[in-house]
Amino acid sequence: MVKSNKYIKGLIEDLISESRRLRQNAALELNDCCVDSASIVLPESQALIDALDVPETRTRWAVLEALSKLVAQDASLCEPALASVENALFDETSGPLHLSSMRFLCNAGRQNPQTSDLVWPLIDEAIQCFHGDQEFPDMLTLLVDFSMGNLSDETKKGFSERMMFDAQNNRGYVQRKAQLIVDNLSK
């Protein structure tokens, strides 16, 4: 169901409210709206970026999921969100927040070479930090998608070098995904 501008504005008001519950519910609903009608949420993207700094993880997670959908339509959202996304990526309390942050970075970075260069240092650090964590297999799936994007030659080179170790020295799922990434980057 397509939502109206008035409905979206109401959700944005709830997203910036003092109530944790209202913020969480609004963030979840905005994420759902981005599935069906991201274009109607896109003009409100700055409010979503601002909401990345709220204290509760669930709101931040839902906002990151929504922004991940929006940044696939407009890569220019990446830079203003980057500092808050980095904070969420390395928040020590939440694996799902790490995964949502990585989804945002991979969706943004695959859009164009300039954005790939912007996000690559964070993605590279996350690969090193979260290697072996519970969310890492899901991150690998996001990294496969990232490897098929419109990346700069510099990002491709660094990414390929980072994944080569797992492609040559790991086994099973991690090795297969790492090899797929290396293969994608050599095309």
Side-chain angles (χ1 to χ4, degrees):
M1 179 171 95
V2 176
K3 306 294 183 183
S4 69
N5 286 332
K6 184 177 178 180
Y7 180 75
I8 299 300
K9 294 273 188 202
L11 290 174
I12 294 299
E13 287 177 23
D14 288 349
L15 187 63
I16 60 174
S17 77
E18 292 296 318
S19 167
R20 176 198 54 79
R21 185 182 53 77
L22 283 177
R23 287 192 307 263
Q24 285 181 353
N25 290 341
L28 291 168
E29 183 62 24
L30 284 162
N31 180 37
D32 288 345
C33 289
C34 285
V35 172
D36 298 326
S37 46
S39 61
I40 200 165
V41 181
L42 195 56
E44 305 298 336
S45 57
Q46 187 57 52
L48 290 168
I49 292 169
D50 294 343
L52 288 173
D53 295 322
V54 300
E56 65 273 5
T57 301
R58 188 172 182 194
T59 299
R60 293 166 65 202
W61 168 83
V63 166
L64 274 165
E65 290 296 318
L67 284 169
S68 294
K69 295 169 185 78
L70 297 179
V71 78
Q73 291 189 11
D74 183 359
S76 71
L77 296 175
C78 182
E79 195 162 1
L82 207 53
S84 296
V85 172
E86 180 178 5
N87 289 336
L89 181 63
F90 297 109
D91 181 317
E92 295 183 13
T93 63
S94 176
L97 200 54
H98 301 159
L99 189 58
S100 292
S101 300
M102 185 67 97
R103 181 173 291 107
F104 174 88
L105 293 169
C106 289
N107 283 353
R110 68 190 314 257
Q111 302 306 311
N112 61 63
Q114 298 78 19
T115 309
S116 75
D117 286 341
L118 185 65
V119 302
W120 168 244
L122 290 174
I123 291 173
D124 186 33
E125 187 176 356
I127 291 168
Q128 295 172 69
C129 289
F130 302 124
H131 198 281
D133 283 6
Q134 182 177 350
E135 292 78 23
F136 192 69
D138 291 328
M139 287 182 182
L140 280 171
T141 300
L142 297 171
L143 292 169
V144 169
D145 290 343
F146 178 58
S147 73
M148 294 185 295
N150 186 9
L151 311 180
S152 74
D153 290 340
E154 185 177 328
T155 296
K156 283 182 181 181
K157 182 178 183 290
F159 193 11
S160 182
E161 289 171 359
R162 174 63 58 213
M163 298 311 297
M164 190 61 71
F165 179 83
D166 281 333
Q168 293 175 343
N169 298 299
N170 220 315
R171 289 188 235 167
Y173 182 81
V174 172
Q175 187 278 332
R176 287 190 305 275
K177 290 291 187 177
Q179 186 61 56
L180 180 57
I181 290 167
V182 170
D183 293 345
N184 287 344
L185 295 168
S186 68
K187 294 178 186 175

